[in-house]
Amino acid sequence: MPQPARDNEMIVETTALYETPQSYLFFALGAVAFYVLGFVVLYRLAGFGSSIIAVIPVIVIAWLYGFGRGFCAGILAAPVNILMYLMLGEHVLHQGFSWGTIIIGTTAVTFIGAMVGRLRDVSLQLRFVNRDLNAEVKERKRAEHELMLHRDHLDELVKTRTVELQEANQQLLTGEAELRESKEFIENVFETTGDGIFVTDAQGLLVMANRTFYKMTGYTEPELIGKHVTELAPTALKPGTGHPLVEQLFTEGIVKGFESKQVKKDGTTYPVELNITTLQDNKHQLIGSVCSVRDITKRKQMEAKAQRQQEQLIQAAKMASLGTLVAGIAHEINNPVNLIMINLPLVQDVWRDAKPVLEAAGCSDPQKKFGGLPYGYVERKLDTLLDDMGIAASRIAKIVESLKSFSRHSSYEDKRHMDINEAVKNAVTLSQTALRKAGVDLDLQLVDKAPLMQGMPQQIEQVILNLLINAIEAVEHEHGLVTIKSGFREKTREVFVTVNDNGCGIDPKVAENIFDPFFTDKQERGGTGLGLSITYNLVQDHDGTITFESTLDKGTTFVVSFPIVT
């Protein structure tokens, strides 16, 4: 295939040598010279047959210059032949030539010139077409070659790019896997952290939160997302209310350890610790905030409990000091009371001995007064006054003894056989002032001849007294009544005491904590939270049990039971 194309190129190049004006003129003049020479030679040989030689220049001119000039050359052939004959001394018309012959010969030569010129034109057109085709073929082959080179280069580029894309894709897949693992790790940390976390946009609207935060607030995701963050804060903590930490967030962009209140879905509030950071884009424009929320309810409860315990320890120290003071006061009171009780019988004897003398003096002088009182009044009332003084002194002595017993430290060796009714009576004696001050009536129902129990009287008295004081303090109305009963259960071989009141009752929410040390709901009234805790421990020390039943706003009944002596 390449060789014919090269031949065509050589033909086109060779033909091009004869297509210049100089070459055309050269061939035309050569043809004319050949015509003249040939005409003379033929004329010498054939006479008038030499005119045929005129066809040669006509053909040459037609071939060189085309149809138009070949046609003109054919027409001019006859006059040129006649001119040549005349130059050679021949009279053409006298030699037998006719105009018809001239016309026919001229027509023939003209036709030949026209045909040759036409063939030349067609040949030239074909040659140009062939040259254009060759040029197009050459250009096409060149383009095909370049296309092949480009295709090979493109194949290499495609292969190289494919390898690069595969490597990039592998890196992308690896990066995506790492990003997915990182995202899953962050989401896992976000969702499983013990603190609640939420994110807001620049307008303060919640856009996401973790499960802990949903659980803390009681909201579901559809309910919470889109809410403004201030809907979860009490009014006092909203922007513009002057709270220093809130203002710090909006001025400095960060708040750490901010203790606040948060509102749940049901409207209740609970204490939280907030750590808030604002979010900014690369142009330092605010785009939102992220906040971690820690429920510090237990911490606050522990702080409050620690504070209560500290206060109660102080109160317990006061109680211990009070016990020492009571013991001292009881001792100081006991001495003059004993003196009164010792001397009172002597005074009574003196009165009985002096009564006849005073009676005689009164009869002799009815107006005579003794101690500013008429004798008749003294006679009627003095025995009663002395007896009342004895009763009062005995009562003071009994109260002092109870105070001394209450303040005395007991040991296990102090346990002895005792009547539980005596412990109840002593506790009632100590509580008389509290009963009168509160205006509470006491109904005492003690069983006759209760079986004896093994115990420390002072501690059992303290148990009964603590329950009785609690019952008195539980009554907050004018018709208070405390009922104390003692009894014996044959089946369990136990003696028991019940202390019932018609007071406010015990709140079921705190019922399980009433025996805890330092637990009290009467702190504002001086409660230490030690009474029932001490009572519970004392009952346990005596192998007993303590139970209670309570109805809110109706009253409470405590029951203590102790095993009897077998």
Side-chain angles (χ1 to χ4, degrees), residues 245-298:
L245 291 179
V246 174
E247 300 304 322
Q248 176 186 343
L249 173 63
F250 284 90
T251 55
E252 300 180 11
I254 185 170
V255 167
K256 293 183 179 180
F258 176 19
E259 292 189 4
S260 176
K261 295 280 188 178
Q262 192 155 272
V263 182
K264 293 185 178 182
K265 179 182 177 181
D266 59 8
T268 60
T269 61
Y270 59 102
V272 293
E273 181 182 271
L274 305 177
N275 291 283
I276 313 171
T277 303
T278 56
L279 302 176
Q280 298 179 346
D281 59 16
N282 54 6
K283 296 181 180 179
H284 303 290
Q285 297 295 319
L286 179 67
I287 60 174
S289 66
V290 59
C291 177
S292 66
V293 184
R294 177 169 296 176
D295 188 343
I296 56 174
T297 301
K298 291 184 178 180

Side-chain angles (χ1 to χ4, degrees), residues 331-378:
H331 178 73
E332 293 298 327
I333 294 176
N334 194 49
N335 289 333
V337 168
N338 285 338
L339 181 62
I340 293 173
M341 294 183 67
I342 291 172
N343 293 329
L344 185 60
L346 178 60
V347 173
Q348 289 176 327
D349 291 342
V350 170
W351 162 246
R352 283 193 293 271
D353 293 342
K355 187 176 180 180
V357 176
L358 295 177
E359 182 179 0
C363 292
S364 62
D365 186 2
Q367 301 299 321
K368 189 175 180 58
K369 295 183 178 182
F370 301 92
L373 299 174
Y375 171 74
Y377 180 84
V378 172

Side-chain angles (χ1 to χ4, degrees), residues 164-183:
E164 292 176 353
L165 288 175
Q166 288 176 345
E167 292 176 353
N169 186 54
Q170 184 61 38
Q171 293 177 355
L172 182 61
L173 292 176
T174 303
E176 287 180 351
E178 293 175 353
L179 183 62
R180 183 167 53 253
E181 291 177 359
S182 178
K183 179 175 178 291

Side-chain angles (χ1 to χ4, degrees), residues 522-539:
K522 298 177 290 186
Q523 189 171 5
E524 68 280 357
R525 290 181 288 175
T528 65
L530 294 172
L532 287 178
S533 174
I534 293 174
T535 299
Y536 180 84
N537 290 330
L538 292 177
V539 172

Side-chain angles (χ1 to χ4, degrees), residues 483-503:
T483 302
I484 300 179
K485 297 180 181 179
S486 66
F488 171 66
R489 298 190 188 97
E490 182 67 34
K491 184 176 181 180
T492 58
R493 308 292 292 172
E494 293 177 327
V495 290
F496 66 88
V497 175
T498 65
V499 180
N500 170 265
D501 65 73
N502 61 349

